Amino acid sequence: MLLEQICKENDIKNIRREDWDSLAAEIRQFLIEKISINGGHLGSNLGAVELTMALHLFLNLPEDKIIWDVGHQSYTHKLLTGRREGFETLRKFGGMSGFPKRKESCCDAFDTGHSSTSISAGLGLVKARDIRGEKNTIVSVIGDGSLTGGMAYEAMNNAARMDTNFIIVLNDNNMSISENVGGVSKYLNSIRTADNYLNLKEGIYQSLLKKKHGSAIVDVIRKTKSSFKQLVIPGMFFEDMGITYLGPVDGHDIPAMLQVFKEAKRCKSAVLVHVLTQKGKGYEPAERHPARFHGAEPFDIATGVPKNKRIKANYTDVFSTIMVKLGQRNEKVVAITAAMPDGTGLKRFRNVYPDRFFDVGIAEQHAVTFAAGLAAGGMIPIVAVYSSFLQRAYDQILHDVCIQNLPVVFAVDRAGIVGSDGETHQGIFDLSYLSSIPNMHIMAPKNKWELSDMMKYAVKFGAPIAVRYPRGEAYDGLSEFREPIEYGKSEMIFEEDEIALLAVGSMVKTATEVRNALKEKGYHVTLVNGRFIKPIDTQMLDRLSQNHKLLVTMEENVESGGFGEKVRTYINENGFNLSVLSVCVPDEYVEHGNVEILRKEIGIDAESVVNKIIQKMEK
């Protein structure tokens, strides 16, 4: 096998040109087989195989640098840098990450996981190179989906003023996670459908050179900054910004890409190479359903069907159903997503109420301020977003929503430990960063029924409010406990004395398991569903302090700024004779791996919590 000949970076250069297509086919087959077992980002990686090969053939790693935007398309890059064996543990605890990691390889130039960052990071590496007086090549790869993020344009605006080489590769597959929307997508479509720029340019030049005075005419055209490209490709947005544009070029034609990369290297400025690729290329199910195979669970290769079929609804499914009902009951309800109608569960709402659904692209900052404008205009906007991505819009939440106390509802999905995507995607900071903002209110449901009740409550609330819920199967236990939601009030589930468990959101289920285990050991245990993280229920804390020795707070959030910290502060300030044990995520980044393994590793699973409580009680 050709792939077995690649044991380290630059080994691809020993592969004969006539074998490049065979190597690409082997890489695709390898990726399909491994991802079908472990899960991972399939469609984006299949589409970037030849592009990655061309970059590795063109560059000399690790001296030269590639910065992958988001980084979910870097699997071929990992293969070509000697990490083939790592795919046995891809995205598993202690194994190889599904994203670039500097600690994993000297060929990973920058850790990524969120969108629209690669041009900024690449520009920083370019300026550092120039200051050190070095001559290596820096390439930032960014997808057309990521190009909907404003940070990319901030970076390009800065890069346009450079007089040194910096190559930006636009990997254009007409997709992000879901199908792209908006003006950028339309602009790139106009380029895709234009005649091939490079071929047309060379054809005209050659024709002119054959005519009398043709050479002089060609020189005039070349010296005219933009007129020729403006005629061939409408708008030429990148050229107008001051960035040299090359392309579009077929992203599955390695020799063509190498030729354009060589031309790009000659530019003493920022240059954008526009590469057209097909997401999911080489695997029919992924070609037909690119969104489904963006982040794939383990699947059957022959059919593309997931191996582990879900029997019960997850929290996103429950939210999806609730949204349709809310839209039906109140015509002021509108929904906003940042390029994730499928992932956040808004696809059904979009289908039923298309005029009240807004996909703004990968632009969380804009999504939040857009929601603020909708709220100021009399609407009730619901922003559905993953916890990890909402943190990208912290200033907009603070400045545009909360200062004006506008009724924006934040449906915060994937809160807590999310698993295999690792540090960049764990939703373990939202309680801290949201609760620091005045006028913000935060709730977390104990089960699927409470998620429904909280969304109904939030829509009528009339001020900024967030409802945060976890990834995975929706808990349907404790369904007999469904007291009406009252502002700032928790819910007593089981009342005894001695030990009080005060849990929020997903940790209520764990607290139930903890209580059962402690009861078997003879302890008296109270269980309270916190419901509100901000404001905390101080009346309940006063009540618990009267007849309990130990108060245990439980949350899937970091300790600093979290629910437990707020409870502890209140207990200490009031001088209650009550010990407090905070069960939470340590103040550190949590790596990738199975959720249950990670929960045990950081000590928030039921068994670990029981042991902590017994140790505390026996002191």
Side-chain angles (χ1 to χ4, degrees):
M1 289 178 60
L2 294 168
L3 192 54
E4 293 178 352
Q5 299 177 29
I6 296 176
C7 301
K8 63 182 184 304
E9 62 272 13
N10 302 313
D11 279 354
I12 189 176
K13 295 178 182 179
N14 298 324
I15 303 295
R16 298 180 306 170
R17 176 171 178 158
E18 54 266 33
D19 290 332
W20 288 349
D21 288 344
S22 297
L23 176 60
E26 285 187 21
I27 290 173
R28 284 195 169 89
Q29 186 60 34
F30 180 91
L31 294 178
I32 292 167
E33 290 176 358
K34 296 303 180 183
I35 297 173
S36 73
I37 297 171
N38 293 331
H41 293 93
L42 182 61
S44 54
N45 281 290
L46 293 180
V49 171
E50 288 88 358
L51 168 58
T52 308
M53 290 174 60
L55 286 170
H56 278 251
L57 287 163
F58 172 66
L59 300 172
N60 184 38
L61 300 182
E63 289 80 8
D64 295 331
K65 310 293 182 185
I66 307 173
I67 304 93
W68 301 95
D69 203 89
V70 183
H72 60 298
Q73 78 284 52
S74 64
Y75 291 7
T76 301
H77 167 76
K78 295 194 177 205
L79 277 174
L80 298 181
T81 50
R83 284 174 272 180
R84 185 172 68 252
E85 300 302 323
F87 279 83
E88 299 299 327
T89 59
L90 177 68
R91 304 170 79 240
K92 293 181 179 180
F93 180 70
M96 189 171 72
S97 171
F99 295 89
K101 295 293 176 187
R102 296 171 68 207
K103 64 183 179 182
E104 194 176 281
S105 171
C106 60
C107 295
D108 290 358
F110 199 83
D111 289 9
T112 49
H114 285 184
S115 168
S116 313
T117 64
S118 66
I119 302 178
S120 296
L123 183 56
L125 286 167
V126 166
K127 298 313 292 183
R129 173 198 69 191
D130 293 349
I131 291 171
R132 294 196 309 266
E134 298 176 352
K135 301 295 183 182
N136 58 317
T137 302
I138 309 295
V139 179
S140 289
V141 181
I142 187 166
D144 52 319
S146 294
L147 212 59
T148 62
M151 186 175 175
Y153 297 94
E154 295 174 21
M156 283 195 290
N157 181 61
N158 194 189
R161 296 179 293 173
M162 294 195 321
D163 56 0
T164 186
N165 183 256
F166 174 33
I167 300 174
I168 303 165
V169 175
L170 171 56
N171 177 20
D172 181 0
N173 59 27
N174 201 26
M175 291 284 293
S176 49
I177 296 174
S178 299
E179 185 175 352
N180 287 330
V181 296
V184 173
S185 178
K186 290 181 179 178
Y187 172 73
L188 292 175
N189 274 327
S190 73
I191 296 178
R192 294 184 198 104
T193 57
D195 289 332
N196 186 291
Y197 166 67
L198 289 177
N199 290 342
L200 181 59
K201 178 186 73 173
E202 290 305 317
I204 292 176
Y205 282 175
Q206 293 303 317
S207 296
L208 287 173
L209 288 172
K210 293 177 182 178
K211 298 182 180 297
K212 187 178 181 179
H213 306 302
S215 178
I217 297 173
V218 168
D219 288 341
V220 170
I221 292 175
R222 283 175 169 160
K223 291 175 182 177
T224 303
K225 181 177 180 180
S226 62
S227 60
F228 181 80
K229 288 184 178 180
Q230 293 283 3
L231 286 171
V232 177
I233 301 176
M236 276 313 305
F237 173 76
F238 303 109
E239 290 273 346
D240 288 344
M241 282 191 72
I243 295 174
T244 301
Y245 174 90
L246 298 176
V249 59
D250 184 351
H252 304 294
D253 184 337
I254 295 175
M257 284 186 285
L258 288 174
Q259 182 61 40
V260 178
F261 291 157
K262 290 175 183 176
E263 186 175 342
K265 176 63 177 173
R266 292 198 296 268
C267 294
K268 300 300 181 184
S269 63
V271 54
L272 184 140
V273 178
H274 186 184
V275 176
L276 304 180
T277 61
Q278 180 184 5
K279 197 168 188 177
K281 183 175 176 60
Y283 182 52
E284 186 176 352
E287 291 179 358
R288 290 201 314 266
H289 307 287
R292 184 193 303 172
F293 284 91
H294 173 78
E297 298 296 327
F299 60 91
D300 176 72
I301 294 177
T303 63
V305 175
K307 292 179 180 177
N308 303 317
K309 293 185 178 180
R310 285 191 290 114
I311 299 175
K312 293 186 178 181
N314 60 34
Y315 277 100
T316 305
D317 296 330
V318 175
F319 171 75
S320 178
T321 300
I322 295 166
M323 283 299 298
V324 174
K325 292 179 179 178
L326 291 173
Q328 182 181 23
R329 294 168 185 169
N330 191 332
E331 62 183 14
K332 291 184 178 180
V333 169
V334 297
I336 303 165
T337 181
M340 300 189 68
D342 295 283
T344 59
L346 286 180
K347 187 175 180 178
R348 288 176 60 195
F349 187 94
R350 177 191 66 187
N351 294 340
V352 179
Y353 308 107
D355 293 338
R356 289 190 273 153
F357 168 81
F358 305 98
D359 185 345
V360 301
I362 305 179
E364 291 85 2
Q365 294 175 309
H366 164 59
V368 171
T369 302
F370 175 54
L374 282 164
M379 297 293 105
I380 304 173
I382 299 175
V383 180
V385 61
Y386 290 2
S387 169
S388 176
F389 300 152
L390 182 60
Q391 64 200 28
R392 293 160 65 88
Y394 180 84
D395 180 66
Q396 287 69 30
I397 300 169
L398 187 155
H399 186 274
D400 298 329
V401 174
C402 289
I403 284 180
Q404 301 180 81
N405 205 28
L406 291 168
V408 176
V409 179
F410 295 94
V412 187
D413 199 342
R414 305 301 200 269
I417 303 297
V418 300
S420 300
D421 284 337
E423 300 101 319
T424 55
H425 286 66
Q426 309 287 12
I428 57 176
F429 303 102
D430 56 273
L431 295 186
S432 301
Y433 68 74
L434 288 175
S435 62
S436 69
I437 304 176
N439 290 338
M440 176 58 76
H441 308 81
I442 311 169
M443 298 186 293
K446 68 178 182 290
N447 58 24
K448 66 180 183 180
W449 311 109
E450 199 160 68
L451 174 57
S452 177
D453 294 342
M454 285 185 174
M455 287 303 302
K456 294 172 187 174
Y457 179 88
V459 164
K460 298 177 181 179
F461 187 63
I465 189 165
V467 180
R468 60 109 66 175
Y469 46 94
R471 181 182 189 178
E473 183 179 301
Y475 181 50
D476 58 5
L478 301 175
S479 58
E480 66 272 27
F481 299 95
R482 199 172 178 179
E483 289 292 321
I485 295 174
E486 184 179 350
Y487 176 71
K489 298 300 179 184
S490 54
E491 178 188 38
M492 178 65 73
I493 296 179
F494 300 110
E495 186 169 15
E496 295 182 354
D497 54 24
E498 194 174 18
I499 300 171
L501 305 177
L502 178 55
V504 292
S506 60
M507 291 302 286
V508 175
K509 177 184 177 182
T510 304
T512 304
E513 298 170 7
V514 170
R515 180 178 183 272
N516 293 338
L518 291 172
K519 292 279 288 179
E520 289 179 0
K521 297 180 182 295
Y523 291 100
H524 297 175
V525 186
T526 293
L527 174 57
V528 179
N529 168 27
R531 280 190 168 172
F532 278 84
I533 293 89
K534 185 182 180 184
I536 59 174
D537 186 353
T538 56
Q539 290 184 1
M540 179 62 76
L541 295 178
D542 294 344
R543 177 177 166 181
L544 295 175
S545 67
Q546 295 174 8
N547 59 349
H548 290 82
K549 297 178 182 179
L550 176 65
L551 174 60
V552 183
T553 62
M554 300 177 65
E555 63 187 308
E556 255 187 277
N557 190 82
V558 293
E559 182 174 14
S560 181
F563 177 70
E565 186 178 86
K566 292 174 174 55
V567 170
R568 186 190 296 274
T569 298
Y570 181 80
I571 296 296
N572 291 340
E573 287 179 347
N574 287 274
F576 293 142
N577 185 25
L578 179 67
S579 295
V580 180
L581 172 64
S582 295
V583 173
C584 55
V585 179
D587 287 339
E588 57 190 40
Y589 297 108
V590 177
E591 67 170 283
H592 56 276
N594 174 273
V595 171
E596 296 308 315
I597 294 175
L598 292 175
R599 285 167 62 87
K600 187 174 183 63
E601 185 72 14
I602 62 181
I604 63 171
D605 65 302
E607 182 181 358
S608 299
V609 176
V610 169
N611 292 335
K612 290 178 182 179
I613 292 172
I614 292 174
Q615 291 175 12
K616 189 81 172 177
M617 293 296 292
E618 291 178 348
K619 282 186 178 180

